[in-house]
Amino acid sequence: MTDRRDSISDSKSVDHAHVMHMPTLEGADAEVQVVPTPPEPETKWKAIYRSSLFQICVVSALAFCGPAMADAISGLGGGGQATPYTVNAATCASYCAVAVISLLGGPLASRMGIKGMLIAGASTFAINGSAYYVNSRYGVQWYLIFGRFLYGAGFGFWYVAEAAIILSYPEEGRRGKYLAIWVGSRNLGQLVGGSISLARNAKRAAAGAIATSTYLIFVAIEAVGFPVSFLISPPHKVRRSDGVPIVLAAKQPWKIEFLNLARAIVAPRMLLLMPIGFYSYFYGGVLSTYLTNHFSVRARALSSFIVPSGIIVFTALYGRFILDNKRWTQRRRAQIGFVVFMVPSLASFGWLCANQAKFMHTKTSTKYDWNASGWANAYIPFYIMQVCGYLCQTFIYWLISCFTTDVAGNARNGGIFRCVEAVGQAVSYGINSNIKTGFVPLGINFGLAIACIPTTWALIQRVPIYREDSLQRPQAFVQGDEEGSMGLEKR
């Protein structure tokens, strides 16, 4: 391992930095700049404010205001509209924008900084709810599509910054817990949104659109995200509780940034990750259309309340007892964690396909209310798939973080992954905006689930037994301790 001192120009509290080589998701050693742990904060408030837990809480609060509200609207089935097809087209446009910005996330993060990207993304949150409101109130479909596109572009910036933070900031042994906080906050937002929707639509047992005024509440919550985004700290000021410093990559010219991006895209580990990335949120368009076509307004509102409740509970248990289980090695946790959500997912897909086949042979359109006969049979596999979808997301981000703790590397890898994920969502909503036969997109989704198993399992077998930062001794970086550095190298 090489170790040399370089000056850091952007931090008055840090006099020196070290350069080291670390394994990345790309499978190669990357030269990164390690910022020593900042000095002890002068006040208790500053100690809390600069902690990694506080940073995760800020990101979680933003997840509550932004994507959670978007998911709450989506959880109504077709965005709460009477038919899902225009909404699916608008969502397709949104995820196309997300895909483009996310792909360029690594180079953009090196110039804008993680904090700048987070603020830029949060500034577009309220456009999402306003697009649904304008379409529902005035029937302006072009603004629904254009507004969702603008929201998607801003969300791409936020998406990359969020990925870098949740992958890089948590201490080893707390990654599952912090991911559960993030997922829980996102679904707490859906739970609040679902409660609002259920309260305003509980008497509407027929098919149709939700009450238009519902969207105004979502817009108000989304608008709070922008001021909250200014609370995030830049990486070099964050103080982790284990004393291990945040790892930063040295700033590179644009040409080098794009070469690194190209290498990351075609790296073997990233290629193995791409199938499950494409699959991971493909179910969004499929299940949203399923819910809209086969359930009443109040049944959809009830779903937007009980789905996030289950997700919060199960992701917390999943993070605590599977991903952070100290009795198992990191690789064993990866193996068990994958099986835990994939097996019930496959079973639910089979169940949904059987239901869809039955609906296709029914002469009249089937619209289940929550007290109708057959509601449970139609809804339970949908519910299981929603929960397993978020377990899958939690697992994937934890899996990526197994390979690197470098902020820039995680911004690049997280951006590529989220680009693939967004492409999957765009394709899903695009298919569901044109194909009226629900069995086709459902069958494609089932096939993707099966197809991603061998590649994901192959990647799991490459997971290090222990993560790099669990072996680091902070004093080797902070003090430049020669013996400490050599000890780390030997380990």
Side-chain angles (χ1 to χ4, degrees):
M1 183 186 314
T2 61
D3 187 9
R4 72 175 186 271
R5 295 179 182 268
D6 290 312
S7 63
I8 300 178
S9 60
D10 60 348
S11 174
K12 295 181 180 179
S13 63
V14 180
D15 297 324
H16 297 91
H18 297 274
V19 175
M20 61 179 292
H21 292 277
M22 289 186 64
T24 68
L25 190 64
E26 294 90 84
D29 283 348
E31 189 176 79
V32 293
Q33 192 178 58
V34 181
V35 178
T37 304
E40 287 287 342
E42 301 105 3
T43 64
K44 185 176 181 181
W45 159 243
K46 279 192 175 181
I48 296 172
Y49 178 64
R50 299 299 185 191
S51 68
S52 59
L53 177 59
F54 186 83
Q55 311 308 308
I56 297 299
C57 288
V58 172
V59 171
S60 298
L62 290 173
F64 176 94
C65 295
M69 293 300 107
D71 288 347
I73 295 173
S74 178
L76 297 171
Q81 306 294 297
T83 59
Y85 305 109
T86 301
V87 172
N88 285 340
T91 306
C92 175
S94 177
Y95 284 117
C96 285
V98 172
V100 173
I101 300 299
S102 296
L103 181 61
L104 302 175
L108 289 172
S110 71
R111 293 303 187 276
M112 295 177 62
I114 298 301
K115 182 171 184 175
M117 293 189 73
L118 205 71
I119 293 171
S123 67
T124 66
F125 284 171
I127 296 175
N128 177 65
S130 71
Y132 284 103
Y133 172 78
V134 169
N135 182 58
S136 180
R137 181 75 173 81
Y138 303 106
V140 184
Q141 294 187 348
W142 71 264
Y143 180 66
L144 176 61
I145 296 174
F146 181 66
R148 289 283 292 164
F149 179 82
L150 288 179
Y151 164 76
F155 192 49
F157 286 103
W158 186 84
Y159 229 14
V160 173
E162 179 205 42
I165 291 170
I166 63 175
L167 292 174
S168 305
Y169 287 16
E171 297 86 350
E172 172 58 22
R174 297 184 180 181
R175 286 180 291 150
K177 174 184 176 181
Y178 285 0
L179 283 168
I181 292 173
W182 166 63
V183 172
S185 297
R186 184 165 178 168
N187 283 278
L188 181 60
Q190 290 190 62
L191 186 61
V192 171
S195 301
I196 294 168
S197 176
L198 183 61
R200 299 189 68 83
N201 298 278
K203 297 181 179 180
R204 306 186 65 188
I210 67 167
T212 302
S213 57
T214 306
Y215 296 112
L216 293 177
I217 303 173
F218 291 134
V219 172
I221 296 173
E222 287 171 332
V224 175
F226 181 61
V228 171
S229 65
F230 286 89
L231 294 175
I232 202 72
S233 295
H236 68 270
K237 293 185 178 181
V238 177
R239 184 181 180 86
R240 293 181 14 153
S241 63
D242 59 6
V244 176
I246 300 295
V247 183
L248 299 170
K251 191 174 182 179
Q252 302 287 350
W254 281 108
K255 181 179 179 181
I256 300 300
E257 290 285 356
F258 281 105
L259 284 174
N260 288 338
L261 178 63
R263 281 195 290 265
I265 291 172
V266 299
R269 289 175 184 165
M270 184 59 69
L271 293 175
L272 290 174
L273 185 69
M274 285 182 179
I276 194 170
F278 189 87
Y279 156 77
S280 61
Y281 263 146
F282 194 93
Y283 73 90
V286 176
L287 295 187
S288 178
T289 302
Y290 176 87
L291 189 66
T292 308
N293 286 340
H294 303 298
F295 294 87
S296 68
V297 169
R298 69 176 185 177
R300 287 152 57 186
L302 175 65
S303 178
S304 68
F305 176 79
I306 64 175
V307 165
S309 303
I311 291 172
I312 291 171
V313 173
F314 285 107
T315 52
L317 295 174
Y318 184 68
R320 172 66 179 85
F321 294 104
I322 304 294
L323 301 183
D324 283 344
N325 194 316
K326 296 181 180 180
R327 293 177 297 175
W328 302 329
T329 65
Q330 185 172 244
R331 185 177 299 166
R332 178 63 66 191
R333 283 177 272 160
Q335 293 167 341
I336 294 174
F338 181 61
V339 172
V340 164
F341 72 81
M342 185 52 72
V343 171
S345 294
L346 295 175
S348 298
F349 271 126
W351 194 345
L352 285 168
C353 285
N355 285 344
Q356 195 66 58
K358 181 179 69 175
F359 297 151
M360 288 173 62
H361 292 91
T362 303
K363 294 182 179 180
T364 57
S365 177
T366 306
K367 292 284 186 181
Y368 288 103
D369 192 33
W370 63 38
N371 58 2
S373 175
W375 174 83
N377 178 68
Y379 186 76
I380 288 175
F382 168 91
Y383 183 82
I384 295 173
M385 268 307 307
Q386 290 281 9
V387 172
C388 287
Y390 271 91
L391 295 184
C392 177
Q393 283 287 307
T394 305
F395 173 79
I396 291 172
Y397 289 113
W398 179 88
L399 183 64
I400 295 174
S401 71
C402 290
F403 293 99
T404 180
T405 57
D406 166 24
V407 173
N410 278 328
R412 184 166 54 246
N413 294 327
I416 296 169
F417 166 73
R418 288 195 146 166
C419 172
V420 175
E421 175 189 86
V423 170
Q425 289 172 290
V427 171
S428 175
Y429 282 101
I431 290 173
N432 282 280
S433 68
N434 291 291
I435 298 177
K436 303 300 189 290
T437 303
F439 194 81
V440 174
L442 182 59
I444 294 173
N445 204 172
F446 197 177
L448 290 172
I450 296 173
C452 76
I453 292 175
T455 54
T456 306
W457 192 256
L459 179 60
I460 287 171
Q461 300 310 107
R462 296 177 176 226
V463 170
I465 299 299
Y466 299 101
R467 197 170 79 145
E468 183 75 15
D469 65 350
S470 67
L471 303 177
Q472 292 177 11
R473 291 193 291 165
Q475 62 269 24
F477 299 103
V478 177
Q479 300 172 359
D481 182 1
E482 178 98 11
E483 182 180 349
S485 298
M486 292 179 65
L488 175 59
E489 187 174 46
K490 290 178 183 178
R491 292 178 70 180

